[in-house]
């Protein structure tokens, strides 16, 4: 069976970007008339049509979008990123009359979960979060004809629209901030190794150290969980020469790490500086308030929802690049302690 033409094919034939194709086919303003005509002619020549879900508008929709979280269920409620992200989604779909279906899935059941959602037509589209190396989901949702938006950078070659936020500049800024404060032994507590964004943050930390001419630091897995952050912090503090600063993969692991350090008798930031990532609401209420990288999960959720609604209703949408994460300096970072002063 011949492959169904995509907006990437239309863009190539018309000699424009995928974003321009999306703007034209969604009747957005700002595109020259001649360009609009080229895009529409290319679409007609290729026989491009909106997705199955968009055509299904005439026969009825599920009026729901899906978010499948493939983590251990007991861990979901402890991560404050997702409530804020889902609040952003709800802010958009409450205006369209759609609902959000949250589906929990253990890693071994993930593929079957998506297949069941598509077969039962329980949702009109899905968000793909926690993108992974060699992630099977972009190909899977394409196979299923299930509209989807990838939340974050996608490493595989795919036509899926993405809503991305570059987290690397903020992590590099965090390391430079610590270096300016005199820190030279800056450790990292990383998220899951197979998560693309966790590896990007770890690489940004390593790159910043290298750019400053400092030796490679110590990186330990934290898994984006409180328990993982606590365990990694205990291991770092048990070293013969503990780090004077730790950059964590997210705020949850950083908050747990702060508690471990304080239980060990360390003062923050006099003895240890701590940096998180996400800037969840709790970050400004820790003691001391947490220096972190602001990613604004609610805005991310709003942008992802807007893109998914558009692809469901129109069959296409442009990629969205959000403003990069930024460093928010609070009380958990300070001048490096004098070695031997602990």
């Amino acid at each position: 069976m011949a492959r169904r033409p995509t907006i990437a094919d239309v863009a190539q034939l018309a000699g424009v970007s995928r974003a321009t194709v999306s703007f034209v086919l969604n009747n957005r303003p700002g595109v020259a008339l001649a360009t609009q005509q080229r895009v529409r002619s290319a679409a007609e020549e290729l026989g491009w049509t909106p997705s199955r879900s968009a055509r299904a508008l005439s026969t009825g929709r599920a009026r729901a979008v899906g978010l499948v979280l493939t983590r251990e269920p007991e861990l979901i409620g402890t991560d404050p990123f997702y409530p804020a992200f889902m609040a952003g989604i709800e802010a958009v779909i409450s205006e369209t009359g759609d609902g959000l279906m949250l589906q929990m899935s253990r890693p071994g059941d993930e593929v079957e979960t998506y297949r069941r959602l598509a077969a039962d037509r329980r949702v009109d589209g899905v968000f793909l979060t926690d993108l992974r190396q060699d992630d099977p989901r972009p190909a899977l949702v394409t196979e299923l004809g299930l509209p989807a938006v990838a939340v974050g950078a996608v490493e595989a070659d795919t036509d899926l629209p993405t809503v991305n936020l570059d987290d690397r500049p903020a992590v590099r800024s965090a390391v430079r901030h610590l270096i300016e404060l005199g820190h030279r032994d800056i450790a990292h507590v990383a998220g899951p190794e197979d998560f693309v964004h966790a590896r990007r943050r770890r690489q940004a930390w390593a790159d910043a150290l290298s750019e400053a001419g400092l030796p490679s630091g110590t990186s330990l897995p934290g898994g984006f969980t409180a328990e993982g952050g606590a365990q990694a912090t205990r291991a770092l503090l048990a070293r013969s020469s503990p780090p004077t600063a730790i950059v964590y993969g997210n705020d949850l692991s950083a908050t747990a790490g702060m508690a471990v350090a304080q239980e060990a008798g360390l003062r923050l930031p006099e003895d240890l500086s701590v940096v998180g990532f996400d800037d969840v609401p709790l970050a400004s209420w820790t003691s001391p308030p947490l220096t972190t990288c602001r990613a604004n999960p609610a805005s991310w959720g709003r942008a992802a929802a807007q893109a998914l609604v558009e692809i469901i209703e129109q069959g296409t949408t442009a990629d969205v690049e959000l403003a990069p994460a930024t460093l928010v300096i609070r009380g958990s970072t300070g001048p490096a302690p004098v070695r031997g002063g602990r």
Side-chain angles (χ1 to χ4, degrees):
M1 184 171 63
R3 181 176 72 88
R4 183 172 174 268
T6 67
I7 63 168
D9 299 324
V10 176
Q12 183 175 14
L13 182 59
V16 298
S17 67
R18 285 175 53 194
T20 298
V21 172
S22 177
F23 271 58
V24 172
L25 297 179
N26 286 305
N27 297 311
R28 291 188 183 180
V31 181
L33 181 59
T35 303
Q36 293 182 42
Q37 293 172 339
R38 284 209 320 275
V39 169
R40 296 189 189 282
S41 295
E44 182 177 356
E45 180 179 338
L46 291 171
W48 179 90
T49 57
S51 69
R52 180 187 71 177
S53 179
R55 293 195 303 271
L57 284 171
S58 61
T59 59
R61 280 177 44 192
R63 305 304 316 185
V65 293
L67 175 61
V68 179
L69 297 182
T70 308
R71 299 189 184 187
E72 295 300 325
E74 57 271 19
L75 299 179
I76 298 298
T78 64
D79 189 343
F81 174 89
Y82 276 104
F85 179 76
M86 288 187 282
I89 294 174
E90 290 283 2
V92 173
I93 63 175
S94 64
E95 299 295 325
T96 65
D98 294 325
L100 174 63
M101 175 177 287
L102 177 62
Q103 187 77 44
M104 316 298 281
S105 175
R106 294 186 184 275
D109 302 328
E110 182 179 48
V111 170
E112 183 56 34
T113 299
Y114 284 98
R115 290 192 182 280
R116 187 168 59 252
L117 286 174
D120 296 346
R121 297 193 59 80
R122 297 166 65 188
V123 297
D124 299 309
V126 293
F127 303 98
L128 303 185
T129 61
D130 288 340
L131 298 166
R132 306 187 297 271
Q133 188 176 21
D134 300 322
D135 200 317
R137 292 175 296 168
L140 176 63
V141 294
T142 299
E143 172 199 333
L144 297 172
L146 186 61
V149 169
V151 181
V154 180
E155 292 192 331
D157 184 17
T158 176
D159 285 331
L160 282 188
T162 63
V163 177
N164 186 41
L165 177 150
D166 194 350
D167 40 19
R168 294 168 295 184
V171 175
R172 288 195 291 266
S173 293
V175 175
R176 287 195 293 266
H177 165 63
L178 292 168
I179 291 171
E180 289 170 359
L181 289 170
H183 295 273
R184 296 297 178 266
D185 190 347
I186 303 170
H188 181 55
V189 174
E193 174 61 24
D194 59 338
F195 283 11
V196 173
H197 57 298
R199 290 190 290 110
R200 281 160 53 104
R201 292 172 195 176
R202 188 185 68 178
Q203 189 60 53
W205 159 80
D207 289 345
L209 291 177
S210 176
E211 291 164 4
L214 295 177
S216 299
T218 301
S219 177
L220 295 180
F224 284 161
T225 68
E227 181 59 31
Q231 290 181 356
T233 304
R234 291 189 189 101
L236 289 169
L237 297 182
R239 294 169 58 201
S240 58
S241 180
T244 62
I246 306 175
V247 176
Y248 291 80
N250 71 348
D251 287 346
L252 180 60
S253 58
T255 302
M258 291 172 67
V260 166
Q262 289 168 329
E263 288 173 3
L266 298 182
R267 299 165 301 159
L268 303 182
E270 292 85 357
D271 300 320
L272 178 70
S273 286
V274 169
V275 178
F277 194 102
D278 282 332
D279 195 27
V280 299
L282 178 64
S284 61
W285 293 97
T286 59
S287 182
L290 179 62
T291 293
T292 187
C293 303
R294 177 174 292 161
N296 200 333
S299 292
W300 212 339
R302 285 194 297 271
Q306 288 165 350
L308 186 56
V309 167
E310 189 167 283
I311 198 170
I312 289 169
E313 295 184 347
Q314 304 294 337
T316 181
T317 189
D319 291 341
V320 177
E321 188 68 29
L322 300 173
T326 56
L327 180 65
V328 179
I329 299 173
R330 298 193 179 104
S332 68
T333 50
V338 178
R339 286 291 188 181
R342 290 182 178 172

